[in-house]
Amino acid sequence: MSDQVLATLITTIGSIIVAWITAHQRSQPTEADRLREQNIKLKEKIKEEKQNENTKRRH
């Protein structure tokens, strides 16, 4: 193989690896995503508890 073909092959393989890593990282939720989801769930739980508390006070 000539040097040019070898360099092209290495560059192509490198590009494929970078593309795969980038796609793989995007498919996994980040820590911020997990915290955001947890925050939403906790807010819903607090809202439900307040509603239950208000319902008990009325009866």
Side-chain angles (χ1 to χ4, degrees), residues 2 29 41 49:
S2 70
K41 288 178 183 178
E49 288 176 357

Side-chain angles (χ1 to χ4, degrees), residues 52-59:
N52 288 340
E53 187 177 303
N54 288 338
T55 302
K56 289 179 183 178
R57 287 184 180 176
R58 291 181 185 170
H59 295 304

Side-chain angles (χ1 to χ4, degrees), residues 8-54:
T8 303
L9 185 61
I10 291 171
T11 302
T12 303
I13 292 172
S15 296
I16 291 169
I17 291 171
V18 169
W20 182 84
I21 290 171
T22 303
H24 184 66
Q25 286 176 342
R26 287 185 184 160
S27 67
Q28 295 178 346
T30 64
E31 182 66 18
D33 293 335
R34 287 190 289 273
L35 290 173
R36 194 174 298 113
E37 184 65 30
Q38 185 180 19
N39 190 22
I40 291 169
K41 288 178 183 178
L42 290 172
K43 284 181 179 181
E44 289 174 358
K45 184 177 178 183
I46 290 170
K47 185 177 178 181
E48 288 174 6
E49 288 176 357
K50 284 183 179 180
Q51 287 176 348
N52 288 340
E53 187 177 303
N54 288 338

